[in-house]
Amino acid sequence: MSLDPARVLDLDPLLDDPDTRIVVCCGSGGVGKTTTAAALGLRAAERGRKVVVLTIDPARRLAQSMGIDSLDNVPRRVKGIDDSAGGELHAMMLDMKRTFDEIVEAHADGERAAVILNNPFYQSLSAGFAGTQEYMAMEKLGQLRARDEWDLIIVDTPPSRSALDFLDAPKRLGSFLDGRLIRLLTAPAKLGGRAGMKFLNVGMSMMTGTLGKLLGGQLLKDVQTFVAAMDTTFGGFRTRADATYKLLQAPGTAFLVVAAPERDALREAAYFVERLAAEDMPFAGLVLNRVHGSGAAHLSAERALAAAENLDAEAAEDLESTAVENLDDARIVDQEGGKAGLRNSPDTYGSSESPAFETSAPDGSEGPAGSDGSDKGSPAATDSTDATDRTDAPTDTPPHGHRTVEQLTAGLLRLHAERMQLLSREQRTRDRFAALHPEVAVAEVAALPGDVHDLAGLRDIGDRLAANRPELPETDA
């Protein structure tokens, strides 16, 4: 089913516009963000842009599809693209801890950097504290934009349970590290000496002692040392997070929400669209991946199921009729006397040397011919009859063949009915989203039979994104 032309998302003008400097692909996990980001990056590069794709996908599918052995925190140039338009494609994967280390090394002198990098609290924080991955993704985005080495940065946001984490987590982490509790914990370290001792007097000494028991004295000291060093180095985590947040709100940024035509994925997409609007983020549109289609959409699920049931009924009738006919077949019913050997011998038909004919009958006759000397039971008569059967066989398809065709056809009709029911569910889900957000432009990508593993596959996805090409050629009903 095609989209209303007013709602179709045209991605080529977005990618070609030199004012577009950042494209953020966001959405819930498992909807194809990594593939979409890589396909858009390849398409933009082959249209003349100098592109870097930043992925945070730990599955490393991006490296595989681009023919790179591995990705790390340094942009790697992708070979094998069509660079006739002068474009370049680079790719990298966020190394969360290394990015944090680079921030420290860039903003602190050697001695202070060593203190921070060796601090146990910092090592735990940089290795996997809640929100650190999203915070570092935004930090890396800010670093790439500041270098001004690429004219287009495409970001594959971190996989998470909720698409909103990409916007919320950095602020949460910044607020935590700049919050009152952390400030309270670091106050003694900042004041030091007599001033620190005075500050700890009265209730403060009691509270700090309690926290020391709860958190552990060494952990409390580690936190105090870390935040004090970081605060004098950067001027606050929240300030840095806010700076990158403003970069995302800038006119040169475009957000693409990626989803699948499933209820949960589109519900998450609707939340994200509303959140982007509330935060004044530049929203470009929705990329709807894995949309199913059919080249026989005019045949409804109901008609397909009815036809399958009719074919099953006909097949059952043919089977019953064939069973009755088989009971009358002389070659199936047990034969009398010496004809048992004729029925079971592998040389029954077309052989005059069968042992059944070399053995004398019990009454002394030389063969199985009748007592009146007729040869109707002789091999010659059998050959004649079988020859007639074999001559007639090609002209009439056996009943068993009819049943096989009918059953296969019924099975295919049922598969088509299941596909049409899936299409119907997907369409209802898309209609609900469109009713809630009629202003959102949409680009659809057909479901593919397998994963994308190379540049050719990414190029095909890019073509489908740009052209909204249906899965199969549309046919007239």
Side-chain angles (χ1 to χ4, degrees), residues 330-351:
R331 284 173 294 176
I332 294 178
V333 178
D334 286 343
Q335 301 180 23
E336 298 177 358
K339 291 185 179 181
L342 174 65
R343 173 168 55 86
N344 296 327
S345 172
D347 299 321
T348 296
Y349 300 111
S351 173

Side-chain angles (χ1 to χ4, degrees), residues 18-23 52 54 137-153 155 244 247-248 250-253:
D19 291 334
T20 302
R21 302 299 303 274
I22 298 172
V23 173
V52 59
L54 168 63
M138 296 180 71
E139 282 284 352
K140 178 56 69 175
L141 174 60
Q143 290 178 11
L144 294 174
R145 183 67 179 86
R147 288 169 62 176
D148 206 26
E149 186 175 342
W150 298 274
D151 56 27
L152 179 61
I153 303 169
V155 182
T244 308
L247 179 63
L248 295 176
T253 300

Side-chain angles (χ1 to χ4, degrees), residues 5-182:
R7 297 178 57 245
V8 172
L9 173 62
D10 193 354
L11 286 168
D12 279 346
L14 176 69
L15 298 177
D16 294 342
D17 186 355
D19 291 334
T20 302
R21 302 299 303 274
I22 298 172
V23 173
V24 181
C25 297
C26 51
S28 57
V31 295
K33 293 194 304 292
T34 300
T35 301
T36 298
L40 290 173
L42 176 61
R43 186 170 184 83
E46 293 188 335
R47 295 173 70 87
R49 302 295 298 272
K50 192 173 181 181
V51 186
V52 59
V53 177
L54 168 63
T55 182
I56 304 95
D57 185 3
R60 301 176 186 263
R61 290 190 305 271
L62 181 64
Q64 297 170 2
S65 62
M66 291 185 169
I68 301 175
D69 293 336
S70 63
L71 292 176
D72 53 23
N73 219 40
V74 179
R76 308 286 180 182
R77 184 164 183 175
V78 178
K79 300 178 181 178
I81 75 167
D82 180 4
D83 56 1
S84 58
E88 295 180 10
L89 178 61
H90 300 251
M92 63 176 296
M93 185 170 68
L94 178 72
D95 183 330
M96 182 173 63
K97 188 177 188 316
R98 183 59 201 150
T99 299
F100 219 147
D101 292 348
E102 289 173 353
I103 297 172
V104 173
E105 294 166 353
H107 292 83
D109 57 45
E111 182 178 354
R112 187 175 295 276
V115 171
I116 296 173
L117 295 177
N118 294 324
N119 183 277
F121 181 76
Y122 168 79
Q123 292 174 355
S124 299
L125 175 70
S126 61
F129 198 81
T132 304
Q133 189 178 51
E134 289 81 2
Y135 187 96
M136 289 300 106
M138 296 180 71
E139 282 284 352
K140 178 56 69 175
L141 174 60
Q143 290 178 11
L144 294 174
R145 183 67 179 86
R147 288 169 62 176
D148 206 26
E149 186 175 342
W150 298 274
D151 56 27
L152 179 61
I153 303 169
I154 297 181
V155 182
D156 165 32
T157 55
S160 59
R161 184 183 60 82
S162 170
L164 301 177
D165 285 349
F166 179 66
L167 293 178
D168 292 336
K171 280 193 170 183
R172 285 201 303 265
L173 180 63
S175 297
F176 168 73
L177 294 176
D178 280 350
R180 291 182 179 179
L181 175 61
I182 296 296

Side-chain angles (χ1 to χ4, degrees), residues 286-321:
L286 172 71
V287 173
L288 201 58
N289 279 330
R290 302 168 188 163
V291 177
H292 292 87
S294 173
H298 56 280
L299 178 60
S300 67
E302 292 76 11
R303 290 173 57 195
L305 288 174
E309 291 174 359
N310 290 336
L311 286 173
D312 284 342
E314 293 176 7
E317 292 176 1
D318 285 348
L319 181 61
E320 182 179 355
S321 174

Side-chain angles (χ1 to χ4, degrees), residues 141-416:
L141 174 60
Q143 290 178 11
L144 294 174
R145 183 67 179 86
R147 288 169 62 176
D148 206 26
E149 186 175 342
W150 298 274
D151 56 27
L152 179 61
I153 303 169
I154 297 181
V155 182
D156 165 32
T157 55
S160 59
R161 184 183 60 82
S162 170
L164 301 177
D165 285 349
F166 179 66
L167 293 178
D168 292 336
K171 280 193 170 183
R172 285 201 303 265
L173 180 63
S175 297
F176 168 73
L177 294 176
D178 280 350
R180 291 182 179 179
L181 175 61
I182 296 296
R183 296 293 179 187
L184 192 61
L185 294 177
T186 59
K190 289 182 180 179
L191 293 175
R194 293 180 176 274
M197 292 300 296
K198 291 180 181 179
F199 186 82
L200 287 174
N201 284 336
V202 197
M204 282 302 301
S205 60
M206 296 176 58
M207 190 195 72
T208 305
T210 302
L211 288 173
K213 292 178 181 179
L214 293 174
L215 301 176
Q218 186 59 46
L219 175 60
L220 182 59
K221 182 177 179 181
D222 292 339
V223 173
Q224 292 172 343
T225 305
F226 165 72
V227 178
M230 292 291 282
D231 190 60
T232 57
T233 302
F234 301 122
F237 278 91
R238 186 159 41 188
T239 302
R240 296 181 62 79
D242 289 344
T244 308
Y245 205 76
K246 289 179 180 178
L247 179 63
L248 295 176
Q249 293 176 315
T253 300
F255 277 83
L256 290 174
V257 175
V258 183
E262 302 165 359
R263 184 180 60 181
D264 292 342
L266 277 176
R267 181 188 296 118
E268 193 76 13
Y271 291 155
F272 209 104
V273 168
E274 294 165 2
R275 175 64 185 277
L276 290 173
E279 298 289 337
D280 293 325
M281 297 286 184
F283 174 56
L286 172 71
V287 173
L288 201 58
N289 279 330
R290 302 168 188 163
V291 177
H292 292 87
S294 173
H298 56 280
L299 178 60
S300 67
E302 292 76 11
R303 290 173 57 195
L305 288 174
E309 291 174 359
N310 290 336
L311 286 173
D312 284 342
E314 293 176 7
E317 292 176 1
D318 285 348
L319 181 61
E320 182 179 355
S321 174
T322 302
V324 173
E325 292 174 2
N326 285 342
L327 291 176
D328 298 331
D329 192 333
R331 284 173 294 176
I332 294 178
V333 178
D334 286 343
Q335 301 180 23
E336 298 177 358
K339 291 185 179 181
L342 174 65
R343 173 168 55 86
N344 296 327
S345 172
D347 299 321
T348 296
Y349 300 111
S351 173
S352 60
E353 298 180 0
S354 172
F357 298 102
E358 294 177 358
T359 305
S360 297
D363 60 0
S365 61
E366 296 179 357
S371 59
D372 59 354
S374 65
D375 61 353
K376 66 179 183 178
S378 67
T382 303
D383 286 348
S384 175
T385 302
D386 290 346
T388 303
D389 291 343
R390 288 193 295 271
T391 302
D392 293 339
T395 61
D396 296 316
T397 304
H400 179 70
H402 280 302
R403 291 200 308 276
T404 301
V405 171
E406 290 164 352
Q407 290 170 350
L408 287 174
T409 304
L412 290 173
L413 285 169
R414 286 192 169 87
L415 286 176
H416 175 74

